[in-house]
Structures are given as C-alpha cells and as structure tokens.
Amino acid sequence: MAVENIPEWMYDESKTAGTDYNQTAEAAAYELRSRNQDRDAVNAFILDFLQLDKTKAVIDMGAGFGSFAMAAAEQAGRVIAVDISPAVIDLAKKLAQEKGLSNIEYHVAGFLTYEHEGPLVDAIVCSGALHHLPDFWKQIALNRMCAMLKTGGKLHLEDHVLSFEIDRYSEMLNDLIDRNKDNHDASGRNIMAVLMRDEFPTCDWIMEGMIERAGFTILNKKYGKTGFRGFYQCRK
Ligand SMILES: C[S@@+](CC[C@H](N)C(=O)[O-])C[C@H]1O[C@@H](n2cnc3c(N)ncnc32)[C@H](O)[C@@H]1O
C-alpha cells in the first residue's frame, strides 16, 4: 500500500517490528543466532504439510532472512517473501543469491500493507512474526492472509502463544527469563524479557478464536511444553 494511501487510523506496524530486525547488524545477528536451531528439520516439517510442487505458490509472511522461503523455492513455482524490515529483506536476497535461487520475490511490506498481486496462493507460512502486532491487528492480518489464499489453501502458523495457567504468570515468566539468560539481542537485552514486555504474544484460546474467525479450520495444533509457543496447521 502506498504511504499516501495509509489511513490515519492504521496501526503503524513498522514501529513494533522488533528492534532486532530493522538494522543490518541486528538482522545479521539474528541469522547467526538461528544457526543454533535445526532449521532444516523445521522447514521439512512445514513442507511435508504444504505438499508444494512447481505448480504451487506460497507466501512467507514475516519471512526474516528467508530460511523457509529458500527451502520452499526448491519445491514451489512461485515463492513470495514479505517482511517489514528492509535490512532483513536485503540479507534474505543476499543469502538466496549465494544459493543460486532465483524464484523468490521479495517485498518490503507488512501484514497490514502487503498487497498481493496475481492469482491467489496455495499456501502461507507465518513463523515467529505475528506477535509483533497487537491482537486486533493480528485479526486483521489473519483475515488478510485468508483472503490471499485459494479455497482449500493451507496456512502454517507458528508463534509465541501463551498456553500456561495464567495465574502462574510471575513464576512462569521468571523461569522463561532464567532459561534464556544467555539469549541476548545485539544490545545485550534478554530476548524473552523484550518479547513479554514490548511485544504481543497472545493466549492460546484467543489465537485459536482469531484463526477460526479469519476463515480457517485448524487441522492440527500443538503447544510447546513450557507454555510459550503454539503451532497451527490450518486450511481455508
Ligand atoms: C523472529 S523473526 C522470524 C523470521 C522468520 N519467519 C523465521 O522464522 O526465521 C520476525 C520477523 O518478523 C518481521 N516483522 C515484524 N513485524 C512485521 C510486520 N508487521 N509485517 C511483516 N513482518 C514483520 C521482522 O522484521 C522479522 O524479520
């Protein structure tokens, strides 16, 4: 959406995009940290659900440095990587170029402003990004993603979702920070403290309600055993 067309009531998603990702050094630091994770296994799990082939198109919303988009590019015909951070998209382009991948389209845009062009897509992946929006705007984002998908299309959504007993929040959050005491951003701040204080992880029952209200059926759901992560495989 062109800046001059953004209504004055619109949430400014660039303001809460995560301080980690809007600068080149921070984007690179995020990519380095994520090398400790088994990204290949996660991508294989998502791809197994999506069953892409060269006739299919997929959008990665909040794509980051493009770990999933690059894995999807090996299977799908059209891959669209959308992220609000120009620094992250620059890094994603560079990494894809190094791998010789040429079928990924990159868009610097957000959940609320990305305008999809061309046929509706077969699948959308959204991993670790929706918590950057407050709940009302998450609902708008989910509705918009549903509108970009073909009927029968699939959504893999994964994010910081709170499924623990809320009365135990103090103990649970202290434990979370403790478990992540060595997990800092480039400014030295505990990543999970920043997440809980400045970002918008939501409760499991709210997330499920929002997904269904957007027009999806939840086929599978799973919550992390520590109560801070939710995974949803859905169909439009
Ligand atoms: C934790 S990273 C996850 C990246 C990637 N999906 C992954 O799994 O590695 C969150 C990403 O969401 C992006 N982001 C934050 N707010 C956004 C918004 N409103 N619209 C699109 N992307 C957004 C950030 O720039 C960042 O790249």
Short mmCIF file of all heavy atoms in Angstrom, two decimals, residues 55-87:
data_model
loop_
_atom_site.label_atom_id
_atom_site.label_comp_id
_atom_site.label_asym_id
_atom_site.label_seq_id
_atom_site.Cartn_x
_atom_site.Cartn_y
_atom_site.Cartn_z
N THR A 55 3.77 -26.22 -9.60
CA THR A 55 2.54 -25.51 -9.99
C THR A 55 2.02 -24.63 -8.84
O THR A 55 1.02 -23.93 -9.01
CB THR A 55 1.41 -26.51 -10.36
OG1 THR A 55 1.01 -27.22 -9.15
CG2 THR A 55 1.84 -27.51 -11.41
N LYS A 56 2.68 -24.69 -7.69
CA LYS A 56 2.11 -24.04 -6.49
C LYS A 56 2.85 -22.75 -6.12
O LYS A 56 4.04 -22.59 -6.40
CB LYS A 56 2.18 -25.01 -5.31
CG LYS A 56 1.47 -26.34 -5.58
CD LYS A 56 0.24 -26.49 -4.73
CE LYS A 56 -0.67 -27.59 -5.19
NZ LYS A 56 -0.23 -28.93 -4.86
N ALA A 57 2.09 -21.87 -5.46
CA ALA A 57 2.65 -20.60 -4.99
C ALA A 57 2.49 -20.50 -3.48
O ALA A 57 1.46 -20.92 -2.93
CB ALA A 57 1.93 -19.44 -5.66
N VAL A 58 3.50 -19.95 -2.83
CA VAL A 58 3.48 -19.84 -1.37
C VAL A 58 4.01 -18.48 -0.95
O VAL A 58 4.92 -17.94 -1.56
CB VAL A 58 4.32 -20.99 -0.73
CG1 VAL A 58 5.76 -20.99 -1.19
CG2 VAL A 58 4.27 -20.95 0.80
N ILE A 59 3.38 -17.93 0.09
CA ILE A 59 3.86 -16.66 0.68
C ILE A 59 4.47 -16.97 2.04
O ILE A 59 3.87 -17.70 2.84
CB ILE A 59 2.71 -15.65 0.88
CG1 ILE A 59 2.01 -15.34 -0.45
CG2 ILE A 59 3.22 -14.36 1.52
CD1 ILE A 59 0.80 -14.40 -0.31
N ASP A 60 5.64 -16.39 2.31
CA ASP A 60 6.22 -16.44 3.65
C ASP A 60 6.06 -15.04 4.24
O ASP A 60 6.72 -14.10 3.82
CB ASP A 60 7.70 -16.86 3.55
CG ASP A 60 8.32 -17.15 4.91
OD1 ASP A 60 7.62 -17.00 5.94
OD2 ASP A 60 9.51 -17.53 4.94
N MET A 61 5.13 -14.89 5.21
CA MET A 61 4.84 -13.58 5.80
C MET A 61 5.72 -13.37 7.02
O MET A 61 5.70 -14.20 7.94
CB MET A 61 3.37 -13.50 6.24
CG MET A 61 2.37 -13.39 5.12
SD MET A 61 2.49 -11.88 4.12
CE MET A 61 2.15 -10.62 5.30
N GLY A 62 6.43 -12.25 7.06
CA GLY A 62 7.40 -12.04 8.15
C GLY A 62 8.55 -13.01 7.94
O GLY A 62 8.96 -13.72 8.86
N ALA A 63 9.05 -13.03 6.72
CA ALA A 63 9.96 -14.09 6.26
C ALA A 63 11.32 -14.07 6.92
O ALA A 63 12.06 -15.05 6.87
CB ALA A 63 10.14 -13.97 4.75
N GLY A 64 11.69 -12.94 7.52
CA GLY A 64 13.03 -12.85 8.10
C GLY A 64 14.08 -13.01 7.00
O GLY A 64 13.89 -12.58 5.86
N PHE A 65 15.18 -13.68 7.34
CA PHE A 65 16.26 -13.81 6.35
C PHE A 65 15.96 -14.90 5.33
O PHE A 65 16.79 -15.22 4.47
CB PHE A 65 17.62 -14.04 7.02
CG PHE A 65 17.67 -15.28 7.87
CD1 PHE A 65 17.99 -16.49 7.31
CD2 PHE A 65 17.37 -15.21 9.20
CE1 PHE A 65 18.03 -17.64 8.09
CE2 PHE A 65 17.40 -16.35 10.00
CZ PHE A 65 17.73 -17.58 9.43
N GLY A 66 14.75 -15.48 5.38
CA GLY A 66 14.28 -16.32 4.28
C GLY A 66 14.59 -17.80 4.41
O GLY A 66 14.60 -18.51 3.39
N SER A 67 14.78 -18.27 5.64
CA SER A 67 15.09 -19.70 5.81
C SER A 67 14.01 -20.57 5.16
O SER A 67 14.32 -21.45 4.35
CB SER A 67 15.21 -20.00 7.31
OG SER A 67 15.14 -21.37 7.55
N PHE A 68 12.73 -20.29 5.48
CA PHE A 68 11.67 -21.12 4.88
C PHE A 68 11.54 -20.82 3.39
O PHE A 68 11.39 -21.74 2.57
CB PHE A 68 10.32 -20.93 5.59
CG PHE A 68 9.25 -21.69 4.85
CD1 PHE A 68 9.16 -23.06 4.97
CD2 PHE A 68 8.40 -21.05 3.95
CE1 PHE A 68 8.26 -23.80 4.21
CE2 PHE A 68 7.48 -21.77 3.19
CZ PHE A 68 7.41 -23.15 3.33
N ALA A 69 11.57 -19.54 3.00
CA ALA A 69 11.40 -19.18 1.58
C ALA A 69 12.44 -19.91 0.73
O ALA A 69 12.12 -20.42 -0.36
CB ALA A 69 11.50 -17.67 1.41
N MET A 70 13.67 -20.00 1.22
CA MET A 70 14.72 -20.67 0.42
C MET A 70 14.45 -22.17 0.32
O MET A 70 14.63 -22.76 -0.75
CB MET A 70 16.11 -20.40 1.04
CG MET A 70 16.56 -18.96 0.83
SD MET A 70 18.27 -18.68 1.30
CE MET A 70 18.18 -18.67 3.09
N ALA A 71 13.97 -22.78 1.40
CA ALA A 71 13.65 -24.21 1.35
C ALA A 71 12.47 -24.44 0.40
O ALA A 71 12.47 -25.38 -0.41
CB ALA A 71 13.33 -24.73 2.75
N ALA A 72 11.48 -23.53 0.44
CA ALA A 72 10.29 -23.68 -0.40
C ALA A 72 10.63 -23.49 -1.87
O ALA A 72 10.00 -24.09 -2.75
CB ALA A 72 9.23 -22.67 0.04
N ALA A 73 11.63 -22.64 -2.15
CA ALA A 73 11.99 -22.33 -3.54
C ALA A 73 12.48 -23.57 -4.29
O ALA A 73 12.43 -23.62 -5.51
CB ALA A 73 13.06 -21.24 -3.57
N GLU A 74 12.96 -24.56 -3.54
CA GLU A 74 13.41 -25.82 -4.19
C GLU A 74 12.20 -26.61 -4.71
O GLU A 74 12.32 -27.43 -5.61
CB GLU A 74 14.15 -26.72 -3.18
CG GLU A 74 15.21 -26.01 -2.35
CD GLU A 74 16.60 -26.10 -2.95
OE1 GLU A 74 16.72 -26.71 -4.03
OE2 GLU A 74 17.54 -25.55 -2.34
N GLN A 75 11.01 -26.36 -4.13
CA GLN A 75 9.83 -27.18 -4.48
C GLN A 75 8.74 -26.41 -5.23
O GLN A 75 8.13 -26.96 -6.13
CB GLN A 75 9.21 -27.76 -3.19
CG GLN A 75 10.15 -28.66 -2.43
CD GLN A 75 9.47 -29.35 -1.25
OE1 GLN A 75 8.28 -29.19 -1.02
NE2 GLN A 75 10.24 -30.13 -0.52
N ALA A 76 8.48 -25.16 -4.82
CA ALA A 76 7.33 -24.41 -5.36
C ALA A 76 7.71 -23.67 -6.64
O ALA A 76 8.89 -23.42 -6.90
CB ALA A 76 6.83 -23.43 -4.32
N GLY A 77 6.70 -23.28 -7.42
CA GLY A 77 6.95 -22.49 -8.62
C GLY A 77 7.16 -21.03 -8.28
O GLY A 77 8.06 -20.38 -8.80
N ARG A 78 6.30 -20.51 -7.37
CA ARG A 78 6.37 -19.09 -7.01
C ARG A 78 6.49 -18.97 -5.49
O ARG A 78 5.66 -19.52 -4.76
CB ARG A 78 5.10 -18.37 -7.50
CG ARG A 78 5.12 -16.88 -7.27
CD ARG A 78 3.84 -16.17 -7.75
NE ARG A 78 3.99 -14.74 -7.56
CZ ARG A 78 2.99 -13.88 -7.49
NH1 ARG A 78 1.74 -14.28 -7.63
NH2 ARG A 78 3.21 -12.59 -7.28
N VAL A 79 7.52 -18.26 -5.06
CA VAL A 79 7.71 -18.04 -3.61
C VAL A 79 7.78 -16.53 -3.38
O VAL A 79 8.52 -15.83 -4.06
CB VAL A 79 9.01 -18.71 -3.10
CG1 VAL A 79 9.17 -18.46 -1.60
CG2 VAL A 79 8.99 -20.21 -3.39
N ILE A 80 6.97 -16.06 -2.42
CA ILE A 80 6.91 -14.62 -2.15
C ILE A 80 7.32 -14.43 -0.69
O ILE A 80 6.66 -14.95 0.21
CB ILE A 80 5.48 -14.09 -2.38
CG1 ILE A 80 5.05 -14.39 -3.81
CG2 ILE A 80 5.40 -12.60 -2.07
CD1 ILE A 80 3.55 -14.35 -4.02
N ALA A 81 8.41 -13.70 -0.48
CA ALA A 81 8.90 -13.45 0.88
C ALA A 81 8.58 -12.01 1.24
O ALA A 81 9.01 -11.08 0.55
CB ALA A 81 10.40 -13.70 0.95
N VAL A 82 7.78 -11.83 2.30
CA VAL A 82 7.34 -10.49 2.70
C VAL A 82 7.90 -10.20 4.09
O VAL A 82 7.75 -11.03 5.00
CB VAL A 82 5.80 -10.43 2.76
CG1 VAL A 82 5.32 -9.05 3.20
CG2 VAL A 82 5.17 -10.81 1.42
N ASP A 83 8.54 -9.06 4.26
CA ASP A 83 9.00 -8.67 5.59
C ASP A 83 9.03 -7.15 5.67
O ASP A 83 9.34 -6.47 4.68
CB ASP A 83 10.39 -9.25 5.90
CG ASP A 83 10.68 -9.28 7.39
OD1 ASP A 83 10.95 -8.21 7.98
OD2 ASP A 83 10.61 -10.38 7.99
N ILE A 84 8.70 -6.64 6.86
CA ILE A 84 8.61 -5.19 7.04
C ILE A 84 9.98 -4.52 7.09
O ILE A 84 10.09 -3.32 6.89
CB ILE A 84 7.83 -4.89 8.35
CG1 ILE A 84 7.39 -3.44 8.46
CG2 ILE A 84 8.61 -5.26 9.58
CD1 ILE A 84 6.01 -3.22 8.02
N SER A 85 11.02 -5.32 7.34
CA SER A 85 12.34 -4.72 7.55
C SER A 85 13.19 -4.75 6.27
O SER A 85 13.53 -5.82 5.77
CB SER A 85 13.07 -5.48 8.66
OG SER A 85 14.46 -5.28 8.54
N PRO A 86 13.57 -3.56 5.76
CA PRO A 86 14.42 -3.53 4.57
C PRO A 86 15.76 -4.24 4.80
O PRO A 86 16.27 -4.92 3.91
CB PRO A 86 14.64 -2.03 4.32
CG PRO A 86 13.56 -1.34 5.06
CD PRO A 86 13.19 -2.21 6.22
N ALA A 87 16.32 -4.13 6.02
CA ALA A 87 17.63 -4.76 6.29
C ALA A 87 17.51 -6.27 6.21
O ALA A 87 18.40 -6.96 5.68
CB ALA A 87 18.13 -4.34 7.67
#
